[in-house]
Amino acid sequence: LFEDLRFESATLELPRAFVLALFSDGVLEVLPEARLADREQHLLHAVARARTDLDGLCTSLGLSSKPDAPDDIACLLVSRAG
């Protein structure tokens, strides 16, 4: 798509126990806070509470009750227990 596009490769050593949560930006559109920084904090707290429970995370974010979200919402959880 872009002729001058450049990519970098990076390596990060992860701790013995971790949770990596990736979301599409659509999740931010359904959170109740007005400011983006507050929505990001809401998301961080929800992931910390739910850890690896995707159903619990969806419930915590109120996604279970929003079948007609304004944008697509995708989530990927990767975890390793210590």
Side-chain angles (χ1 to χ4, degrees):
L1 293 174
F2 305 101
E3 291 181 22
D4 297 331
L5 193 59
R6 303 222 190 290
F7 293 96
E8 291 183 27
S9 178
T11 302
L12 175 67
E13 189 168 326
L14 297 170
R16 289 188 59 76
F18 74 92
V19 175
L20 173 65
L22 304 172
F23 295 90
S24 63
D25 62 341
V27 73
L28 296 173
E29 295 182 25
V30 299
L31 298 180
E33 292 78 13
R35 295 177 355 144
L36 177 60
D38 295 333
R39 284 182 253 159
E40 289 171 344
Q41 283 301 310
H42 182 126
L43 192 55
L44 288 172
H45 291 300
V47 170
R49 282 190 308 270
R51 304 272 310 154
T52 59
D53 177 16
L54 186 56
D55 289 331
L57 179 59
C58 288
T59 300
S60 178
L61 293 173
L63 300 178
S64 303
S65 62
K66 296 193 186 323
D68 297 325
D71 193 0
D72 67 306
I73 299 171
C75 174
L76 171 67
L77 293 177
V78 177
S79 66
R80 178 171 63 190

